[in-house]
């Protein structure tokens, strides 16, 4: 499974805090994986869902990118199957 640089950094940061990488993956899998984590992070920040306005949608996608989610994970938040 390929992860973004940011996701690898998150795992490294968590390991430095004493959290084992296998525990990180176990929790992510139990919670539905990275796509579900992306959806949860998006919903927490943007209570009204994806914006219809292009500029606002770009800001929302930029927020997700800055949180370390991959293009596919971000697009899954904006696709109909995750809404």
């Amino acid at each position: 499974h390929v992860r973004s640089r940011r996701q690898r950094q998150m795992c490294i940061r968590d390991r430095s805090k004493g959290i084992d990488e296998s525990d990180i993956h176990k929790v992510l899998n139990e919670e539905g994986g990275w796509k579900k984590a992306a959806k949860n992070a998006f919903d927490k920040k943007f209570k009204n869902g994806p914006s219809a306005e292009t500029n606002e949608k770009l800001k929302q996608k930029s927020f997700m990118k800055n949180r370390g989610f991959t293009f596919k994970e971000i697009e899954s938040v904006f696709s109909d199957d995750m809404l």
Side-chain angles (χ1 to χ4, degrees):
H1 184 274
V2 176
R3 291 181 286 168
S4 72
R5 182 176 67 112
R6 178 74 174 131
Q7 289 170 344
R8 286 190 301 272
Q9 289 174 337
M10 289 166 47
C11 287
I12 291 168
R13 181 199 65 211
D14 292 341
R15 277 188 294 187
S16 72
K17 293 181 179 180
I19 301 171
D20 186 50
E21 188 169 354
S22 64
D23 291 336
I24 296 167
H25 293 293
K26 182 179 174 185
V27 169
L28 271 171
N29 289 332
E30 288 173 0
E31 297 295 321
W34 285 107
K35 287 183 179 181
K36 184 67 175 172
K39 178 71 173 145
N40 291 340
F42 183 87
D43 289 344
K44 183 176 178 181
K45 176 71 173 177
F46 303 103
K47 308 274 190 241
N48 295 327
S51 177
E53 295 181 30
T54 303
N55 285 342
E56 187 61 29
K57 189 178 282 190
L58 289 173
K59 288 178 185 178
Q60 291 174 335
K61 289 181 179 187
S62 178
F63 168 82
M64 297 299 290
K65 183 178 178 285
N66 291 335
R67 291 290 181 262
F69 295 106
T70 65
F71 176 80
K72 285 180 128 180
E73 292 158 354
I74 294 168
E75 288 303 311
S76 74
V77 172
F78 289 86
S79 68
D80 292 335
D81 62 334
M82 288 293 287
L83 298 177

